[in-house]
Structures are given as structure tokens and as C-alpha cells.
Amino acid sequence: MVGPVRPQIVLFGSSIVQLSYSDEGWGSILTNLYSRKADIILRGYCGWNSRRAVQVLDTIFPKNAVEQPSLVIVYFGGNDSIHPHPSGLGPHVPLEEYRENMKKIIIHLKSLSKKTRIILLSSPPVNEAQIHETFSNILGPLKRTNESCRLYSEACLDLCHDMNVKAIDLWSALQQRDDWSDVCFTDGIHLSHEGSKIVVKEILKVLDDADWNPSLHWKSMPNEFAEDSPYDPVAIDEKTTVNVSNWNFQKNFEWEKALSISKSSNGHHQF
């Protein structure tokens, strides 16, 4: 444990979470945005379904932890939606059991603390042709279809509505792009940088709209050690310094407005 203690944002899910730091993924984008505001904690497990997630809830989210997360973003469902294998092996979880498992996850997370907020991500679509091309020589026939993803996505969204939990409809969000099947995936399942940008924009939209106190949107959260300092870089006037505590170098995304310099009252510039 290192200090100062920051709010914790936990990403909990299967491979779309584990790989969220690859290819400039949505986990890495969030980590950059919250770099001086909160700690992004990754708990992603390739191949997992909701059944395995339920089995480790007490291990990953112990109720007696000194610090509980401020936000948990949860994704399970894509692996659950894979069609059942005749042998009984594989990640398939029946739809009703999936719903019950996600309900158990939500109940557990709600019990952690009054401050813990929850966002669920529903199953995104898939590019079935790309899946076949990528995985057919490794896994054999992979019965993962866009239609099955839709069914599990809807089950997740319906559950969240019933339990008053924030949810993001990734199945619909990605398909808002006309070229979604060509640009949103690295292999037909996992998200490319373009797909990840959609995820981040949807997460930030939820955080911006939520009436949570305190707000967990990155622009509303204070920077750590944000005070002006004579050790900051010297400004162009060579008489003042520039406070760079709020600099963000990821400027190419639609959610990042152009940074402007404003002169503060004590002779520093704030970015």
C-alpha cells in the first residue's frame, strides 16, 4: 500500500477487461485520465464466465477490507453466451443462471460500502467471420454469435434496470458505427483501439450523468498534489510558473477538450 490513499476504480471481468491495457485499450485510457485522481485496479480473467466470477467474489472483494472501491465496472456475458458444447465442457452458462449470477455479483458489490458505485457493461457484438478466421485452427468451431451476444446483453440490461444499477449497452453502442465490424475488434471478439474509445465514451457519459456525490467523472475529481509550486516549469513570461498538475497528453479523443491556460491569482498558470 502506498499513499496518499486514492479512490479505487476496479475493472472486473473476463478477457475484455484483462486485455483492456492492450492496443491502447479502454483500461489504459481510463488510467491515463485518472492518473492523478484515482487508482485503476485491474481484475480481468481471460476465458471466465459469470459462474467463475461468483466463486471468487469474497476473495477479490472482501467485505472486511479497510478501503473499499469507489467504483466497480463489471463485464461478464460474452463467454457465458457461447453455445453449449455436447461434452458439457466450455464456458457456456444458461441465460437464467447468467442473470442470477450477475444478480449475486451486484448484491455483493452493493454490500461493500455505501460509497461503492457500480456500472455493468453488457456483451458487445462480435464479428463472426473474423472469429472463424482467427480461432478456427486453435479452438475449433467457436459457437459465439452476434445473436447470442444480443440475448445476454439484453438480460444484463434488464437486470440492471430491475436493480437500479447503471449499465452500458455495448451491443448497441459499438454498432452505431457503420464500419463497426471492420474496426472495433482485434480478432472478432476483443476490442481494438477504436472499439475501446467507444467504451470509454460510454463510461464517461454515465459518470457525467450520474447524480453521485462525490462525482466520479475524471474532470470533477481533484488532482493529487495540485497546489502551485515555485518548482513548476517557468512560464513564457519568465516571471511565473506553469502548474502542470492537470495536464493530459491524450488530446486526440473526442471527449478531451482543448486545454486552455488561465492565469491564477498567485502568479501561476493552471492547465
Side-chain angles (χ1 to χ4, degrees):
M1 184 68 185
V2 296
V5 175
R6 296 177 175 180
Q8 296 179 359
I9 298 176
V10 182
L11 314 182
F12 178 46
S14 55
S15 55
I16 283 179
V17 174
Q18 180 176 328
L19 302 177
S20 65
Y21 281 73
S22 303
D23 299 298
E24 296 181 271
W26 61 278
S28 66
I29 296 171
L30 289 175
T31 299
N32 180 72
L33 294 176
Y34 285 87
S35 59
R36 288 181 70 160
K37 301 167 183 286
D39 287 332
I40 309 293
I41 300 173
L42 186 68
R43 292 294 182 269
Y45 306 93
C46 282
W48 277 35
N49 56 21
S50 63
R51 193 179 290 166
R52 292 191 73 177
V54 168
Q55 293 171 354
V56 299
L57 279 176
D58 289 318
T59 301
I60 296 177
F61 299 102
K63 293 185 179 182
N64 62 350
V66 175
E67 289 294 327
Q68 294 292 358
S70 296
L71 173 64
V72 183
I73 300 176
V74 182
Y75 168 72
F76 290 101
N79 293 322
D80 300 65
S81 75
I82 293 176
H83 295 185
H85 192 272
S87 67
L89 300 173
H92 172 73
V93 172
L95 190 60
E96 281 305 312
E97 183 190 344
Y98 165 72
R99 181 185 170 96
E100 285 303 308
N101 289 340
M102 298 307 291
K103 182 177 180 179
K104 292 175 183 176
I105 292 172
I106 291 171
I107 291 172
H108 183 88
L109 295 177
K110 282 187 172 184
S111 74
L112 296 179
S113 75
K114 291 182 179 180
K115 73 171 186 178
T116 300
R117 312 298 187 180
I118 308 166
I119 299 174
L120 263 64
L121 308 179
S122 80
S123 297
V126 294
N127 181 331
E128 295 177 28
Q130 193 178 9
I131 290 174
H132 177 76
E133 180 181 344
T134 305
F135 294 106
S136 60
N137 293 330
I138 304 171
L139 301 175
L142 189 61
K143 306 277 187 184
R144 186 164 181 164
T145 65
N146 215 15
E147 175 61 15
S148 64
C149 288
R150 180 186 67 81
L151 294 174
Y152 281 71
S153 173
E154 290 181 355
C156 175
L157 298 173
D158 289 344
L159 174 66
C160 290
H161 179 268
D162 293 345
M163 298 187 71
N164 193 29
V165 170
K166 303 291 186 184
I168 294 172
D169 181 359
L170 287 186
W171 194 84
S172 298
L174 266 67
Q175 293 184 86
Q176 293 301 307
R177 282 192 62 150
D178 292 337
D179 58 351
W180 67 271
S181 62
D182 297 322
V183 302
C184 286
F185 309 104
T186 59
D187 53 18
I189 298 173
H190 303 109
L191 299 174
S192 66
H193 178 55
E194 291 300 313
S196 282
K197 287 199 293 184
I198 296 173
V199 177
V200 172
K201 282 188 282 187
E202 293 298 321
I203 290 172
L204 294 181
K205 188 186 304 180
V206 169
L207 293 175
D208 191 40
D209 292 342
D211 57 352
W212 293 337
N213 186 18
S215 172
L216 295 175
H217 191 280
W218 71 280
K219 286 197 171 183
S220 301
M221 298 176 72
N223 281 314
E224 192 172 270
F225 300 126
E227 65 276 5
D228 294 329
S229 170
Y231 306 118
D232 285 332
V234 177
I236 193 170
D237 61 12
E238 299 190 16
K239 297 178 182 179
T240 58
T241 58
V242 177
N243 187 325
V244 295
S245 65
N246 201 35
W247 273 20
N248 185 282
F249 295 95
Q250 233 169 357
K251 299 179 183 179
N252 297 324
F253 304 126
E254 295 177 18
W255 60 78
E256 174 67 308
K257 297 178 181 179
L259 297 172
S260 61
I261 304 175
S262 62
K263 189 78 172 291
S264 69
S265 59
N266 58 357
H268 288 70
H269 296 271
Q270 179 76 38
F271 271 64

